[in-house]
Amino acid sequence: MAVSVRTFPLRCFLVPRPQPTRSQSAPSPRLPLSSAPAPCRHKNQEDNHSYYVSRLYGPSEPRSRELWVDVAEANRSQVKIHTILSNTHRQASRVVLSFDFPFYGHLLRQITIATGGFIFMGDVIHRMLTATQYVAPLMANFNPGYSDNSTVVYFDNGTVFVVQWDHVYLQGWEDRGSFTFQAALHRDGRIVFGYKEIPMSVPEISSSQHPVKTGLSDAFMILNPSPDVPESRRRSIFEYHRIELDPSKITSMSAVEFTPLPTCLQHRSCDACMSSDLSFNCSWCHVLQRCSSGFDRYRQEWMDYGCAQEAEGRTCEDFQDEYHNSASPDTSFSPYDGDLTTTSSSLFIDSLTTEDDTKLNPYAGGDGLQNNLSPKTKGTPVHLGTIVGIVLAVLLVAAIILAGIYINGHPTSNAALFFIERRPHHWPAMKFRSHPDHSTYAEVEPSGHEKEGFMEAEQC
């Protein structure tokens, strides 16, 4: 059965980012609305970006070879050739990691691999896939379907997840040669870009048909509940941080290593949060039991519960006194149960979900799903929804059984012919479509043909 995936319009804006420390460079002139450090220039080979420290290793440095993960030498049971991505142009596919990967302080279990040389790190597939929330060793208009030798391979051994775009060609620039590069997501939060074959200067690559980027980006989503705002414009994506590498430094046998810096989200208590010496302006939200600068993927909850106002001029002792004065055996001021800081970034996505949303994170635990309930829905009787769901499920199963019995007994009926003609042969993927003013991903039926010689037992 094909999975229906719908997109919805989103607006993308830049928001003020954490103030840079003295070691950081001046604000970038390309992003006038941001106070973040300028894109990584690699003048000193190392740059501080508030959330990460990046270091470039040139072709002559031994470290660049040490960072390269030789997928060919890895355990074959842990290596998978993605046949859909390896045979098509401008498509993306979801993959589940075997470990929680910390990205900008958020723990992620799902990523989306794209043929365009990047990994989408967001929870919701949207039309601005290439704009924010990405890990891009070399985002460009690559077409793995051009050659039988081109593949998109990924490797997961429990401590590192590697995606390798192997011998891929640029659409319309095939005569310039093939590219081989990879992105490695380490369990400790490190991100490594490895470049084995870069046959041309990256600044020469045209961005007219597809964005060309190298670096990292993250964003949060905000829902405008105002009834005066049209439904199609209620969700907005705000990019709160971006790292842009100097494309002229991307050459064959070079590598870039991003080491994560501490964030406010790592603090699990008020005392640790308020005494933090990070460059971020960390504040403690007692109702959410969360430490944050207010600029992360939990921004929606931070605003909904008035955390910024709650923390103004207050100390941890004030919160403790308020708790002792208001707490009783029968009441609780917290709208959430459990540890919110350990759930994945699907928290803010689930709280914004409507029928138009594309995908949710089905890998959060039961407690995580319960924690995601908004204050308005927290009081809804659980047993009523359960009964309605069971009744609907029983009716649906009964209808399917009856339809199957009828079709089996009347193979030449119109209904039987209708389903036979439309039965899916392959799972759908997400295809990139270019438009004059934006780029979108939409559901397509892939061709499904495999390349010669690929005999992996666990192919996608």
Side-chain angles (χ1 to χ4, degrees):
M1 179 181 296
V3 179
S4 176
V5 180
R6 292 169 290 179
T7 61
F8 53 89
L10 294 167
R11 293 172 289 162
C12 181
F13 303 91
L14 295 175
V15 298
R17 307 173 192 172
Q19 292 292 335
T21 61
R22 293 180 181 178
S23 61
Q24 294 173 323
S25 53
S28 169
R30 296 181 57 192
L31 302 176
L33 299 182
S34 170
S35 58
C40 174
R41 295 182 177 85
H42 297 296
K43 289 183 178 180
N44 299 318
Q45 300 297 305
E46 182 173 291
D47 290 272
N48 186 309
H49 309 280
S50 296
Y51 292 89
Y52 290 90
V53 172
S54 67
R55 182 169 180 82
L56 170 70
Y57 299 94
S60 61
E61 298 186 62
R63 182 62 174 166
S64 63
R65 290 171 174 77
E66 295 173 3
L67 293 174
W68 179 264
V69 179
D70 193 344
V71 176
E73 298 296 326
N75 186 335
R76 290 185 62 82
S77 65
Q78 299 171 339
V79 178
K80 296 180 176 62
I81 299 174
H82 201 298
T83 53
I84 293 178
L85 299 183
S86 298
N87 289 283
T88 50
H89 178 218
R90 291 180 175 177
Q91 292 197 19
S93 179
R94 282 275 174 138
V95 175
V96 181
L97 307 179
S98 64
F99 55 89
D100 292 326
F101 175 70
F103 184 64
Y104 280 90
H106 308 92
L107 298 181
L108 308 183
R109 251 307 167 85
Q110 287 189 96
I111 61 171
T112 302
I113 304 173
T115 57
F118 70 99
I119 303 172
F120 178 65
M121 307 298 286
D123 284 325
V124 176
I125 300 290
H126 55 80
R127 69 188 180 109
M128 304 183 74
L129 196 67
T130 62
T132 60
Q133 298 182 304
Y134 58 75
V135 170
L138 182 51
M139 182 190 297
N141 193 17
F142 292 106
N143 180 14
Y146 172 77
S147 170
D148 289 342
N149 294 325
S150 302
T151 57
V152 178
V153 182
Y154 62 95
F155 163 75
D156 189 345
N157 65 0
T159 59
V160 61
F161 181 91
V162 181
V163 182
Q164 181 166 313
W165 292 263
D166 194 71
H167 293 95
V168 293
Y169 292 83
L170 283 170
Q171 179 78 359
W173 296 66
E174 291 83 1
D175 59 336
R176 302 300 291 270
S178 64
F179 293 70
T180 297
F181 56 94
Q182 62 182 215
L185 310 180
H186 293 262
R187 190 166 190 163
D188 59 4
R190 287 184 302 120
I191 301 173
V192 176
F193 296 165
Y195 305 94
K196 188 175 183 180
E197 297 177 3
I198 306 296
M200 61 182 291
S201 174
V202 175
E204 294 181 30
I205 301 176
S206 172
S207 60
S208 61
Q209 300 298 320
H210 192 289
V212 178
K213 301 178 183 179
T214 56
L216 311 177
S217 171
D218 198 29
F220 55 78
M221 183 183 295
I222 291 296
L223 174 67
N224 187 344
S226 174
D228 298 331
V229 179
E231 179 66 28
S232 61
R233 299 180 61 83
R234 288 189 178 181
R235 295 172 184 80
S236 301
I237 284 187
F238 293 82
E239 181 185 61
Y240 65 90
H241 192 262
R242 181 195 302 172
I243 300 175
E244 294 177 305
L245 301 179
D246 185 347
S248 65
K249 302 294 184 180
I250 306 303
T251 61
S252 297
M253 302 311 301
S254 64
V256 181
E257 183 177 26
F258 299 91
T259 303
L261 295 172
T263 67
C264 299
L265 293 174
Q266 73 179 19
H267 299 305
R268 305 300 175 86
S269 68
C270 180
D271 292 332
C273 180
M274 302 299 283
S275 62
S276 172
D277 58 355
L278 301 179
S279 60
F280 302 101
N281 184 20
C282 298
S283 300
W284 179 256
C285 185
H286 194 62
V287 67
L288 293 179
Q289 290 291 293
R290 180 181 301 149
C291 183
S292 173
S293 64
F295 293 97
D296 52 46
R297 295 192 181 189
Y298 306 125
R299 174 73 175 179
Q300 182 74 50
E301 288 181 328
W302 193 260
M303 296 172 58
D304 290 345
Y305 288 90
C307 293
Q309 293 77 13
E310 178 192 73
E312 289 182 359
R314 306 184 70 179
T315 64
C316 294
E317 289 75 11
D318 296 333
F319 290 130
Q320 292 175 356
D321 294 340
E322 179 179 323
Y323 172 79
H324 290 306
N325 293 333
S326 61
S328 65
D330 299 326
T331 61
S332 175
F333 58 84
S334 175
Y336 291 106
D337 300 320
D339 184 6
L340 290 175
T341 60
T342 59
T343 59
S344 72
S345 60
S346 63
L347 276 171
F348 88 96
I349 292 296
D350 288 345
S351 66
L352 305 182
T353 300
T354 68
E355 294 180 356
D356 291 332
D357 283 349
T358 54
K359 284 191 177 182
L360 304 179
N361 183 354
Y363 300 94
D367 294 338
L369 292 176
Q370 183 179 0
N371 292 336
N372 294 339
L373 293 175
S374 64
K376 294 181 180 180
T377 60
K378 187 67 177 180
T380 303
V382 177
H383 65 278
L384 179 60
T386 303
I387 294 174
V388 173
I390 293 175
V391 172
L392 291 177
V394 171
L395 293 177
L396 178 61
V397 171
I400 294 175
I401 293 175
L402 292 175
I405 294 174
Y406 176 79
I407 292 174
N408 187 58
H410 303 80
T412 59
S413 65
N414 292 333
L417 295 176
F418 176 84
F419 285 106
I420 290 174
E421 291 174 357
R422 289 163 177 79
R423 66 183 185 275
H425 298 280
H426 307 281
W427 288 103
M430 305 305 299
K431 185 174 182 180
F432 181 98
R433 293 179 180 174
S434 293
H435 291 267
D437 57 343
H438 62 268
S439 302
T440 64
Y441 275 74
E443 182 183 9
V444 297
E445 286 291 340
S447 57
H449 65 279
E450 297 186 2
K451 299 188 177 182
E452 274 186 48
F454 290 169
M455 301 299 293
E456 291 292 332
E458 294 183 280
Q459 294 177 350
C460 294

